[in-house]
Amino acid sequence: MAGTLQIKHGAKMRVAYDAPVGQEPKFNMVCTFNKAIDESAFLVSVPMVGGKALIPEDTQKMLFQYGEGDDAQIIAGYVDDTVKEGIRRYWKVRRVTEQRQLIKRIDVRMKIELPVQFMQDTWALNSDGEIDKEQGQTMDISNNGLAVYMNHWFDVGESCIFTLPRIGTVSSGQKSHDVVGVVCWMRELPKGGAFRFVAGIQLRFADLEERKQMQEYVAYVKKRYKL
C-alpha cells in the first residue's frame, strides 16, 4: 500500500463504478472524505443517488477521484461496511493496490491491435547474454501512451521498454520502434483469453526528436489503417 492518505477532512471526492477495460469510468457521484483509518482503509460519506443513500455491493470495485487538473488522482477500493459516527453514516472503504494519476490527454488514442515486445533491463540474461523479451499486443495507441495486453504483471510506477513492430516496407513504412513507458494502471482480464492482463502506459521521451519519431509512427499507423 502507498501509505496513509494525505487528504483533508471534508475534501470532496468524485465517485464512479470501476469501468470495463477500454472504457472510461463515469464520475457522476460525489462523497466527502472523512478520515483515513490506517494505510488500508478510509471513511467517506455515503453518496446520494436520486435523493437516496447508495447501497454498496461488496463485490463492486469503486473509484474515488480527488484533486484537480494535473494533480487529480484516483484511488480504487471496495466498500467493506457502513459505519455510524455520531448521527452520520460513512462507508468504510478498503483500498486496493491500484492508484492512478489522471493523465490529461492531448491526443486521441486509436484502437488497434499491434504485436509488441517488452522487457526491463534488469531481467535475467539468457545463455547468450541477452534478455528474452515477452510478447504483448496493443489495445490502443497514441502519441503519448499505449494500452497493452500482456501476460506479465507490473506494479504501478514501473518502467518498461516496448518495441513497436515494423509496419510497411523499408521504402514506404515505419521501422520497428523502441519506446520507454511507465505503468499508470494495471488490470486483470477475464479468464479464457490469450492475455491475462492489460496495462496503461504513459510514454517518456528523452528529447523532442524521440517525441517526433513517435508522432510520425502513430501518424503512419493512422493513415495505413485508416483510423
Side-chain angles (χ1 to χ4, degrees):
M1 195 62 63
T4 303
L5 293 173
Q6 301 300 315
I7 306 175
K8 292 183 179 180
H9 171 78
K12 295 296 183 184
M13 304 181 83
R14 293 162 290 279
V15 185
Y17 293 111
D18 189 30
V21 173
Q23 297 183 22
E24 293 292 333
K26 296 180 180 179
F27 289 92
N28 53 7
M29 296 175 283
V30 179
C31 70
T32 302
F33 182 81
N34 182 30
K35 64 181 180 181
I37 298 175
D38 52 31
E39 292 187 357
S40 65
F42 59 94
L43 296 183
V44 296
S45 64
V46 179
M48 304 296 288
V49 178
K52 297 182 179 180
L54 181 64
I55 300 175
E57 298 181 18
D58 56 6
T59 59
Q60 173 66 61
K61 184 193 288 187
M62 307 294 293
L63 302 178
F64 299 85
Q65 178 185 330
Y66 65 98
E68 300 293 339
D70 294 337
D71 294 327
Q73 296 199 33
I74 294 174
I75 302 168
Y78 294 88
V79 181
D80 270 351
D81 196 6
T82 300
V83 300
K84 188 175 181 181
E85 289 197 352
I87 62 173
R88 300 184 182 276
R89 293 185 179 275
Y90 298 94
W91 276 358
K92 178 183 177 183
V93 181
R94 171 174 49 87
R95 296 169 65 185
V96 293
T97 55
E98 179 180 8
Q99 181 166 344
R100 290 178 271 166
Q101 183 171 8
L102 292 182
I103 305 302
K104 182 182 288 186
R105 292 186 178 176
I106 58 176
D107 58 346
V108 177
R109 294 203 172 195
M110 301 177 295
K111 290 189 175 297
I112 185 169
E113 295 179 350
L114 298 173
V116 296
Q117 296 179 314
F118 59 92
M119 52 84 78
Q120 290 181 318
D121 285 329
T122 54
W123 286 0
L125 302 179
N126 60 25
S127 58
D128 296 322
E130 302 293 335
I131 298 174
D132 291 324
K133 296 182 179 180
E134 294 203 10
Q135 306 296 317
Q137 178 178 284
T138 62
M139 181 176 76
D140 59 46
I141 184 173
S142 76
N143 291 335
N144 296 288
L146 313 166
V148 182
Y149 296 114
M150 59 178 63
N151 288 315
H152 186 103
W153 179 270
F154 288 104
D155 290 330
V156 172
E158 285 193 79
S159 297
C160 191
I161 300 172
F162 294 85
T163 301
L164 299 171
R166 175 195 55 78
I167 300 177
T169 64
V170 174
S171 60
S172 177
Q174 287 285 322
K175 62 182 180 181
S176 62
H177 187 57
D178 285 348
V179 290
V180 175
V182 178
V183 179
C184 295
W185 53 265
M186 195 88 192
R187 295 184 187 174
E188 189 171 357
L189 294 171
K191 294 181 179 179
F195 298 99
R196 297 169 54 198
F197 312 111
V198 62
I201 309 297
Q202 182 184 16
L203 299 182
R204 288 185 174 175
F205 305 102
D207 49 40
L208 292 177
E209 181 60 29
E210 283 191 5
R211 185 181 295 276
K212 181 181 177 182
Q213 290 173 358
M214 184 62 187
Q215 291 173 343
E216 291 175 348
Y217 186 94
V218 171
Y220 185 82
V221 170
K222 182 177 181 179
K223 179 180 178 181
R224 180 75 171 179
Y225 294 99
K226 305 186 187 308
L227 300 173

